[in-house]
Each structure stands twice: as C-alpha cells, then as structure tokens.
Amino acid sequence: MASIFTKIINDEIPCYKIAETDEFFAFLDINPNAKGHTLCIPKQEVDKLFDLDEATYNGLMQFSRQIAKAIEIAIPCNRVGLTVIGLEVPHAHVHLIPLNAMEDAKFGKKESLTPEEFQAVADAIKAAL
Ligand code: AMP
C-alpha cells in the first residue's frame, strides 16, 4: 500500500507544499515542532533513509539544504536543525526544524497553526527559494 507521503506526492491527500523536483518533494509537517517545520522526501518510496541508493540520498541532502536556506530566510530563528526519525511514517524523510531553543528540537512539543497560518508559512518559504 502506498505510504501517506506517496499519497501527498500524488495529490491524493492535501499538503502545504513548498517545492517539488522530478525526484524530491517538500511540504510542511502537519504537526510542527515549530512554525516552518518542513519535511523533505524522495518520491521513491523507501522506508529507511540509509537504505536509499547513494545518488538519491545525496540528492535528498542537497534538496534539503536548499529548503533549509529558504526556511532560514523566511522564518525568524537561530538556525534550522535537521532530524531523521521515521518511526511514524515508513517513507524516508528529513525533518527541517527552525530552532530557537533545544525545546524546539523535541518531538512531542507541538505548535498549533490555523490553515491560514500554515499557508502563510508555506508561501513565505516558497518566496525565499
Ligand atoms: P516520523 O516518521 O516519526 O519521522 O514522523 C512523521 C512526521 O510526519 C510527523 O512529524 C508527522 O507530524 C508528519 N506527518 C504525518 N502525516 C502527515 C501529513 N499528512 N502531512 C504532513 N505531515 C505529516
């Protein structure tokens, strides 16, 4: 069965999209640790990040770097952190999280955003790309 992220890529379920290439896709995490929390994924559905072939892994890191630079411009923060977990969704993904304090890196700490706020955050990051 297709992962929830493959369904997002295929436009079968909605997301706040940031960017897309032939191989990669970035969108806002629906349960963000902090405003601007973004997920970067390969379109190829592979469960674990370190099981990606080397070219896809390197491409995902390059793509994530571009997105992180845009987040840093769009979202006031000390820096953008990169985390990989994958315990919830078995489709390799990189979390990019704007950090001001260690607390922002902790999963379980959630930020509530309205749909309008999510859209404004996505638009700001897109504009900074
Ligand atoms: P993990 O697999 O533990 O790295 O966590 C998966 C992440 O995906 C969590 O931070 C979720 O909030 C996020 N997530 C799950 N479903 C969606 C969705 N439909 N749209 C955006 N983010 C999602």
Side-chain angles (χ1 to χ4, degrees), residues 31 37 44 48 52-53 56 67 70 74 80-81 85-87 92-93 106 110 121-123 126:
N31 249 316
H37 182 164
Q44 187 191 3
K48 298 177 186 171
L52 290 172
D53 65 78
T56 307
I67 304 297
V80 174
I85 302 180
L87 290 171
H93 52 281
K106 287 187 189 156
K110 297 298 175 193
V121 168
D123 289 345
K126 274 190 279 188

Side-chain angles (χ1 to χ4, degrees), residues 5 8 27-31 39 85-89 93 95:
F5 290 170
I8 286 175
F27 56 104
L28 293 181
D29 193 300
I30 206 66
N31 249 316
L39 301 175
I85 302 180
L87 290 171
E88 183 187 324
V89 179
H93 52 281
H95 293 260

